[in-house]
Amino acid sequence: MAESRGEVEAPPSGSAQGLPGSTGTAPPSSNPLSRKLHKVLETRLDNDKEMLEALKALSTFFVENSLRTRRNLRGDIERRSLAINEEFVCIFKQVKEAAKEQTQDLMVKTTKLQAENQRLEMKAQVAGAFIGKFQLTPDEMNLLRGTRDGPITEDFFEALGRVKQIHNDVKILLRTNQQRTGLEIMEQMALLQETSYERLYRWAQSECRTLTQESCDISPVLTQAMEALQDRPVLYKYTLDEFGTARRSAVVRGFIDALTRGGPGGTPRPIEMHSHDPLRYVGDMLAWLHQATASEKEHLEAMLKLVTTQGVEENVQEVVGHITEGVCRPLKVRIEQVIVAEPGAVLLYKISNLLKFYHHTISGILGNSAAMLLTTIEEMHLLSKKIFFNSLSLHASKLMEKVELPPPDLGPSSALNQTLTLLREVLASHDSSVVPLDARQADFVQVLSCVLDPLLQLCTVSASNLGTADMATFMVNSLYMMKTTLALFEFTDKRLEMLQFQIEAHLDTLINEQASCVLTRAGLSCIYKSVQQHKPEQGPLANLPSLDSVSLKAAMVQFDRYLSAPDNLLMPQLNFLLSPTVKEQIIKQSTELVFRAYSDIYAAVMNPANEYKDPETILHRSPHQVQSLLS
C-alpha cells in the first residue's frame, strides 16, 4: 500500500512541475490521469454506499497489496463472480426442483379446489333458482303482510299471483324425494295466502263502504281485488253484500232527493211537484228507478268485469235486487195513494199499462229473479188493474140499475154512447201502450168482456118492449155503433165477428118485415100465403074464393103501383138506420123476397092444373119484367 501510495503521489508533483506559472491554485490539467486522480480525490466515500459495499466485499479476498495481486485483481474478481454465479445456478437448480415438486402438489390442490368451486357455484345457482321459484322476496312479503289499514296497489296482486304460482308449483316437489320441503313450502304459502286474502278483503270492504255517493267510480284496484277474491267464495260474497248495502243507502237517498228536492239547482223539478198529474207522477218515479237500476247494474258489472267464475250474472242480478229493495216501500206508498184515489177508469188503465211496461223493462235488467222491486211493481200493476176492472164493473152495474128506453129515432141511447166513449178511450190508451203484445192481447179480451157484455144486455133489455121492426132497428143501430168503435183497434176480430152475426140476425128480421110490408100493402100477402099452403087435393086454385081472377086482378093493380114507386112502401124504421149500407142491403134483399113471392104466384097462375082462363090477362107482367122494374 505504501508503494502504491508513493507511486500515486509522484505524478502530481511531476505534473505540478510541468504546470506553467502556477501561483496558488493550479488550473485543471488536461492530462487524463490527472483528471482521474482529481476525481478520485474529490470523491466522498461516506456518501457512496455502493462504493463502500464494493470495497467491503473486496477486502474479504484482497488481503495482499502487491503488484501481482493488483495485476490479477480483475481476473480474481471475474473468477469470484463466476464462482458466485455457479453457486447461484446450483442453488437455483435445487430451488427449482423443490419448487417443481411443491408446484405439482399446488396444481393438484388447485384443480381440486376449482372443481369444488364449480360444484359449489352450481349448488349456489340451484339454490338461488330454487329460492327464486319457491320463495318470495322480502319486498313481496312486506307487500302481502303490510299494515292492517295500508293501501292496496297493483304490486300486491303481482305478489299474490306469485304466492298462488308457488303454491301450485310446489306440488312438483311432492312427487320427488323432497316431500318434506314441499309440504313446508306449501304450508307456508297457504298461510301467507290466507293472510293476504284477509287483508285484501278488509281493504275491499272498507273501499265499498265509501261508495255511498250518487256517482259511483269503481277503481281498477277494486276490480282486481274482486278478481282475486273470487278464489275465496265466502269473502267474495261478503264483499258483494257490503257493496250492495252501501249502494242501497245511496239509491234510497237519491230517490228521496228526486222526490222532494229535484236535481242539482232544482232541475229537473221534484217529482212530488207533479203529484196532481197521476200518470206523470207514477211515470217519473218509475223512470227514475229504471235509470237507477240500469246504472247500478253497470257499476256492478264494471266491478266484476274481471271475474271469470260461473254465476256472475246471477250475482249481479241478486245484488242489484238488494240495492233496489230500499226504494220499494216509498214507491209502493205513493203509487197506492194514486190508485186508491180512483182517478178514473182511463187513467187507471194507463197507470196499469205503465206499471206493466216498467215491470217488463226492469225485469230485463234484474232478470227473472224474485227481486223485491219487481214484486212491488207487479203488486201495484195488479192493484191498478183490479180497481180498473172494478170501475168498469161499477159502470156496467149502474147502467143496468136504470135502463133507458130507446130514443124516438131508434138510435143508440145516451148510456150506450157514454160507455162506448169510455171504451174508445181505454182502447186508444191500450193501443198506444208499450206493453208486450201477448200481455196487451190478454188485457184486451178482458176489457171487451167487461164492457161489451153488459152493453149488449142493456140494449136487449132496453128494446124488450118495442115492436119487432123497432127492436131490430134499435139493435142494428146499437150493434153498428159498437162495431164501428171496435173496428179501429187491434185484437177485436173475434168480437167484430160476433157483433156481425148479431147484426145479420136483426137484419134478417128487418128484411122479412120489409118484404112482408110490401106484400101486404101491394095486396099479395094473402094470395102468396094461400099459394104456399095449397095442396093438390084441395082442387084448382081458381076455385078458391080469395084466388079467383077478379081478386088477382085487383091485387095486380096495387102491385103495379108498388112497381112504379117502390120507395113509397119502405118501412119508416129504415130511415132511422145509421148505416146507409145496411139500409141498401135490407132494401135489396127484401126486394128479392118480393120478387120470389111474385114468381111463385105467377108460376101457380100459369099452371094449367089451377084452371085459370087466360092467365096472361090476369098477371100481365112476367117475373123477368118485374125483376127489371125492381132493379
Side-chain angles (χ1 to χ4, degrees), residues 392-627:
L392 291 183
S393 300
L394 179 63
H395 181 81
S397 63
K398 287 182 178 180
L399 292 177
M400 298 306 297
E401 287 177 1
K402 185 179 180 181
V403 179
E404 298 179 357
L405 293 175
D409 60 357
L410 300 179
S413 63
S414 60
L416 176 65
N417 286 327
Q418 292 174 2
T419 306
L420 288 178
T421 300
L422 173 64
L423 179 62
R424 190 180 299 110
E425 292 177 355
V426 169
L427 297 184
S429 67
H430 187 279
D431 263 9
S432 62
S433 70
V434 284
V435 175
L437 197 63
D438 53 348
R440 279 196 290 162
Q441 187 170 2
D443 288 348
F444 220 106
V445 173
Q446 192 173 358
V447 170
L448 294 179
S449 299
C450 194
V451 176
L452 287 184
D453 292 344
L455 275 183
L456 292 173
Q457 185 180 1
L458 171 68
C459 293
T460 303
V461 174
S462 179
S464 59
N465 295 325
L466 297 178
T468 304
D470 289 345
M471 176 188 290
T473 303
F474 174 70
M475 291 302 295
V476 167
N477 284 334
S478 300
L479 292 170
Y480 174 76
M481 286 296 296
M482 297 181 198
K483 182 181 176 183
T484 54
T485 300
L486 295 184
L488 302 174
F489 304 101
E490 57 184 352
F491 309 128
T492 58
D493 294 342
K494 290 184 178 180
R495 279 288 176 172
L496 289 173
E497 186 178 352
M498 183 195 72
L499 291 176
Q500 184 61 33
F501 287 152
Q502 292 178 324
I503 289 174
E504 289 176 357
H506 292 291
L507 283 181
D508 289 342
T509 300
L510 286 175
I511 290 168
N512 291 330
E513 286 293 318
Q514 173 63 25
S516 177
C517 176
V518 170
L519 292 176
T520 300
R521 297 179 65 178
L524 297 181
S525 179
C526 294
I527 297 173
Y528 179 66
K529 289 179 181 178
S530 298
V531 170
Q532 291 293 104
Q533 297 171 359
H534 179 262
K535 295 179 181 180
E537 58 267 19
Q538 292 178 347
L541 285 173
N543 295 334
L544 296 179
S546 59
L547 295 177
D548 57 282
S549 300
V550 176
S551 298
L552 288 176
K553 288 180 180 180
M556 286 307 299
V557 172
Q558 296 181 8
F559 188 67
D560 284 341
R561 292 173 184 168
Y562 163 70
L563 293 176
S564 62
D567 293 342
N568 291 337
L569 295 185
L570 290 179
M571 293 188 304
Q573 289 87 344
L574 297 186
N575 294 323
F576 295 147
L577 290 171
L578 297 177
S579 172
T581 305
V582 171
K583 180 179 178 181
E584 291 177 3
Q585 180 182 353
I586 293 172
I587 294 173
K588 180 179 178 181
Q589 294 186 11
S590 63
T591 302
E592 290 178 359
L593 291 179
V594 171
F595 168 72
R596 290 176 192 170
Y598 179 79
S599 298
D600 290 345
I601 295 173
Y602 184 85
V605 170
M606 295 301 168
N607 189 354
N610 290 320
E611 298 179 357
Y612 283 103
K613 294 179 181 181
D614 300 325
E616 293 81 3
T617 61
I618 299 174
L619 301 180
H620 55 277
R621 297 185 188 277
S622 67
H624 181 70
Q625 292 174 334
V626 171
Q627 187 178 21

Side-chain angles (χ1 to χ4, degrees), residues 206-439:
S206 174
E207 190 75 8
C208 289
R209 286 173 181 168
T210 63
L211 302 177
T212 55
Q213 301 300 319
E214 187 173 351
S215 60
C216 177
D217 295 328
I218 305 298
S219 65
V221 179
L222 182 58
T223 303
Q224 288 181 288
M226 296 307 297
E227 179 189 16
L229 287 175
Q230 67 180 325
D231 294 334
R232 295 295 184 272
V234 175
L235 301 181
Y236 174 79
K237 180 68 167 57
Y238 286 165
T239 306
L240 286 181
D241 291 344
E242 194 67 41
F243 176 83
T245 301
R247 294 307 304 161
R248 174 174 172 164
S249 63
V251 170
V252 171
R253 186 170 60 252
F255 183 58
I256 299 301
D257 288 344
L259 288 171
T260 57
R261 297 182 180 180
T267 305
R269 299 174 65 191
I271 298 176
E272 296 283 3
M273 296 287 289
H274 306 293
S275 58
H276 62 281
D277 183 353
L279 189 62
R280 180 174 180 181
Y281 182 48
V282 174
D284 286 352
M285 287 191 290
L286 293 174
W288 190 94
L289 286 177
H290 171 246
Q291 182 180 359
T293 305
S295 298
E296 294 305 317
K297 184 177 182 181
E298 289 177 0
H299 296 155
L300 200 55
E301 287 176 341
M303 189 172 73
L304 302 182
K305 64 182 180 182
L306 300 180
V307 177
T308 57
T309 57
Q310 293 182 348
V312 175
E313 185 63 27
E314 289 78 3
N315 291 336
V316 170
Q317 293 175 358
E318 181 182 353
V319 175
V320 175
H322 173 70
I323 290 173
T324 54
E325 277 183 10
V327 299
C328 293
R329 181 61 184 168
L331 175 69
K332 184 176 181 180
V333 169
R334 285 163 174 79
I335 296 180
E336 276 183 346
Q337 289 175 347
V338 171
I339 294 173
V340 174
E342 296 189 20
V346 177
L347 266 180
L348 282 171
Y349 193 62
K350 288 181 178 179
I351 291 173
S352 174
N353 285 334
L354 190 64
L355 289 165
K356 187 68 176 177
F357 164 71
Y358 275 105
H359 181 277
H360 176 75
T361 304
I362 296 177
S363 64
I365 301 174
L366 297 178
N368 296 321
S369 61
M372 188 173 178
L373 178 60
L374 291 178
T375 304
T376 301
I377 295 176
E378 179 65 18
E379 288 176 357
M380 294 300 97
H381 164 67
L382 295 177
L383 177 62
S384 62
K385 191 174 178 181
K386 178 182 177 181
I387 295 182
F388 163 69
F389 283 111
N390 287 344
S391 176
L392 291 183
S393 300
L394 179 63
H395 181 81
S397 63
K398 287 182 178 180
L399 292 177
M400 298 306 297
E401 287 177 1
K402 185 179 180 181
V403 179
E404 298 179 357
L405 293 175
D409 60 357
L410 300 179
S413 63
S414 60
L416 176 65
N417 286 327
Q418 292 174 2
T419 306
L420 288 178
T421 300
L422 173 64
L423 179 62
R424 190 180 299 110
E425 292 177 355
V426 169
L427 297 184
S429 67
H430 187 279
D431 263 9
S432 62
S433 70
V434 284
V435 175
L437 197 63
D438 53 348

